[in-house]
Amino acid sequence: MNHAADAGAPDFTALTDLASRSLGAGVIAANDELFAQRENLINPWPAAFDPGDFGHKGKVYDGWETRRRREPGNDWAIVRLGAPGVVRGVVVDTAWFRGNYPPFISVEATAADGYPSVADLAEAEWTTLVARTDCAGDTKNYYAVEDGRWWTHVRLSIYPDGGVARLRVHGEVVEDPRFLTGTIDLVAAENGGRLAATSDAFYSSPAQIIMPGRARNMGEGWENARRRGGGNDFAVFALGRRGTARHLEIDTGYYVGNAPGWVRVSAADVLDGDLEGATWTEILPRVAVQPDTRHRFLTAVAAEATHVRLDVYPDGGLSRFRVWGEVAAEALEEARQRWAERR
């Protein structure tokens, strides 16, 4: 089965990018960004390069680039994660930075309540996730992380200066239990939902359809290749917490000539994580859908589940998928215990 990780990349890259702007992350501070602005670090698309694009301050780069340092020290940028989470690995992508990349990097993290200011974070206690280590130019540099605690902010330090195109912080969302009561989107990435498997992600990954908000274009959804044989395409998602689905949203927004003809949704209660032996219950029987339309459906069955499977027939693209329902009582208590473990 095709997952979200790049071919040949470490397994942790299949996990949610906690630092993605699509998830609501932000680059809230940097000590220097003279050549290229810090906000580029967390753009969800790959860095681009135009050899003829120059500005008043020099070559324009799609990334974060500091000036040449003439005094001791190093440069840094702080990212507020889109959701609190456990960091399993970091990618420092220096694409297109060949003679101006940092030869060394380090990554630290902190967990802060609420919405701290930059001044507050300057006084925070930071924990090293990636000790100062080598960094190569014009490539994706992968760094695994072993710390199992959850964090809200990360700080990327570069030594002594230079440019970084993208920063990816892959891991597992740790949901704030105060926002898991009532009816919520059980499959939302910000609530801990994640892509578990998919039949095809040729153009873009199904992981995008559980991101916050509506897609702004077709590039922010899931689109598979055109199917020329039998069968159909599908995506399986793990819910953030075990719960009961009450109604669904299937949005084909921006998919005009390439939306599915029909969709179907099933749910499974897989406490041991073994999807191969799962028993699936149909909560939305196969139903026709329209192009460029936000559809809402009541579920046919109310059953507690840990996973949902979205089938599209025979293929085609979706921009968003929502599973609205309630978290199970025991799962909510587990979330409260997990949240408290950090303190």
Side-chain angles (χ1 to χ4, degrees), residues 123-148:
E123 302 298 321
E125 179 181 348
W126 291 84
T127 298
T128 299
L129 299 185
V130 179
R132 176 169 167 162
T133 188
D134 294 344
C135 180
D138 195 23
T139 192
K140 292 180 180 178
N141 297 269
Y142 299 103
Y143 308 98
V145 175
E146 300 299 329
D147 197 306

Side-chain angles (χ1 to χ4, degrees), residues 27-288:
V27 188
I28 61 174
N31 70 309
D32 186 273
E33 51 181 331
L34 185 136
F35 286 121
Q37 61 193 21
R38 65 183 191 251
E39 286 83 2
N40 290 329
L41 272 175
I42 60 171
N43 286 335
W45 53 85
F49 183 77
D50 181 352
D53 191 5
F54 284 83
H56 183 72
K57 295 179 181 179
K59 182 71 189 73
V60 174
Y61 276 90
D62 183 6
W64 167 52
E65 186 184 6
T66 65
R67 72 191 78 196
R68 298 189 187 215
R69 179 172 284 272
R70 303 306 189 194
E71 65 282 336
N74 68 277
D75 295 322
W76 52 266
I78 296 176
V79 176
R80 181 195 66 249
L81 301 178
V86 178
V87 177
R88 299 301 185 187
V90 175
V91 183
V92 177
D93 185 354
T94 55
W96 308 110
F97 289 97
R98 293 167 178 163
N100 49 353
Y101 64 91
F104 307 97
I105 65 95
S106 67
V107 180
E108 299 164 288
T110 191
D113 291 322
Y115 305 93
S117 67
V118 176
D120 293 331
L121 291 170
E123 302 298 321
E125 179 181 348
W126 291 84
T127 298
T128 299
L129 299 185
V130 179
R132 176 169 167 162
T133 188
D134 294 344
C135 180
D138 195 23
T139 192
K140 292 180 180 178
N141 297 269
Y142 299 103
Y143 308 98
V145 175
E146 300 299 329
D147 197 306
R149 292 170 290 180
W150 59 262
W151 315 96
T152 59
H153 297 73
V154 297
R155 180 168 61 195
L156 170 66
S157 295
I158 59 176
Y159 303 88
D161 54 37
V164 174
R166 297 289 187 267
L167 174 67
R168 308 299 188 203
V169 180
H170 294 282
E172 300 141 6
V173 171
V174 175
E175 321 91 296
D176 185 336
R178 295 172 295 180
F179 299 99
L180 295 181
T181 58
T183 300
I184 67 166
D185 183 1
L186 298 170
V187 80
E190 61 187 337
N191 290 330
R194 60 179 177 82
L195 176 66
T198 181
S199 60
D200 187 274
F202 184 86
Y203 290 108
S204 52
S205 171
Q208 296 197 126
I209 67 176
I210 59 172
M211 287 294 172
R214 295 197 72 193
R216 294 173 297 174
N217 53 55
M218 196 170 66
E220 293 187 351
W222 167 38
E223 186 179 3
N224 42 60
R226 298 192 186 207
R227 180 171 286 269
R228 302 308 189 191
N232 69 281
D233 288 310
F234 66 87
V236 177
F237 298 91
L239 303 181
R241 292 286 170 178
R242 186 169 182 258
T244 301
R246 302 297 182 182
H247 66 276
L248 310 169
E249 291 184 20
I250 296 173
D251 190 351
T252 58
Y254 298 101
Y255 290 89
V256 179
N258 51 354
W262 303 265
V263 300
R264 175 176 179 261
V265 180
S266 305
D269 203 20
V270 188
L271 297 178
D272 61 0
D274 180 16
L275 288 175
E276 296 298 329
T279 299
W280 294 92
T281 299
E282 190 175 71
I283 61 173
L284 178 67
R286 178 168 166 162
V287 61

